[in-house]
Structures are given as C-alpha cells and as structure tokens.
Amino acid sequence: SYLRSQVIPESHRATIMNWFRVPMNVITCGAFICLHVDTISRDKKIVFAACFMLAVTGTFLCGRFIDVFKNYEEAKTDGEETDKSGLLKDEDTQEQLKEEVA
C-alpha cells in the first residue's frame, strides 16, 4: 500500500492495479485448464515446475524493480533533476530552460 502510493499516482491507481490483475487471472485460469489435460493431471510435477519458474521470474523482476526504484530515489534526494530523455544533460542547457520558464 505504501509502495503503491509512492509509485502510482492516485488518479490512475485503480486502473493500473486492475491491469496488473489480468496476467494473474490468465495464469490461474491456464493452470486450472491444464489440470484437465491427461498428461498434466497424472504428473503434478509439471504444474509445480511451471509455478516454480513463475515464482523465480517474479522474484528476479521484483529485485530489478527495487534496484531501479532505489536509484530513482537516490537521484531525487541528491537534488539532481531526473531527465529520462537524456536531453538535459548539459548544465548550460538546463540553466537556459530555467531562465525561459522564469
């Protein structure tokens, strides 16, 4: 809940969280459908292996997200302006834009 409030704007939070529920529901329905396949229903190791691979993938992606979020927060607290486009790397260009805005 705290992480959501920090990362996702309040105006878009419900929509974004609903979009994240779609893959989870697809995976769940796929697992239930696969249980009716004779090969899989006899050997549950296949379902376990698929769930294990999804858990490992989720853990890896979560770690990457945490790293990216830490780097963003560090840049934000250092007083640096984060420009994702890479257009404002030059200090002179930044000062010119600030003067134009003011």
Side-chain angles (χ1 to χ4, degrees), residues 60-89:
F60 172 74
L61 292 175
C62 183
R64 293 283 298 155
F65 176 77
I66 290 171
D67 290 342
V68 169
F69 192 69
K70 280 183 185 175
N71 292 340
Y72 176 75
E73 285 296 318
E74 288 173 1
K76 192 173 165 183
T77 57
D78 290 342
E80 298 175 5
E81 292 185 26
T82 56
D83 180 36
K84 295 180 181 179
S85 66
L87 296 175
L88 299 176
K89 291 182 181 178

Side-chain angles (χ1 to χ4, degrees), residues 4-102:
R4 282 186 209 149
S5 67
Q6 295 298 313
V7 177
I8 305 170
E10 180 68 33
S11 59
H12 299 10
R13 190 173 304 156
T15 304
I16 292 171
M17 292 309 298
N18 284 331
W19 276 106
F20 276 101
R21 287 185 183 103
V22 171
M24 180 183 63
N25 290 335
V26 168
I27 291 168
T28 303
C29 291
F32 283 138
I33 290 171
C34 286
L35 290 177
H36 293 288
V37 176
D38 291 333
T39 308
I40 296 173
S41 65
R42 279 185 257 142
D43 189 15
K44 302 291 192 249
K45 292 178 185 177
I46 296 170
V47 176
F48 178 75
C51 290
F52 178 75
M53 290 305 298
L54 288 171
V56 168
T57 303
T59 303
F60 172 74
L61 292 175
C62 183
R64 293 283 298 155
F65 176 77
I66 290 171
D67 290 342
V68 169
F69 192 69
K70 280 183 185 175
N71 292 340
Y72 176 75
E73 285 296 318
E74 288 173 1
K76 192 173 165 183
T77 57
D78 290 342
E80 298 175 5
E81 292 185 26
T82 56
D83 180 36
K84 295 180 181 179
S85 66
L87 296 175
L88 299 176
K89 291 182 181 178
D90 185 37
E91 289 181 10
D92 295 330
T93 307
Q94 288 178 356
E95 289 178 15
Q96 289 173 352
L97 286 175
K98 287 180 184 176
E99 291 173 1
E100 289 176 9
V101 172

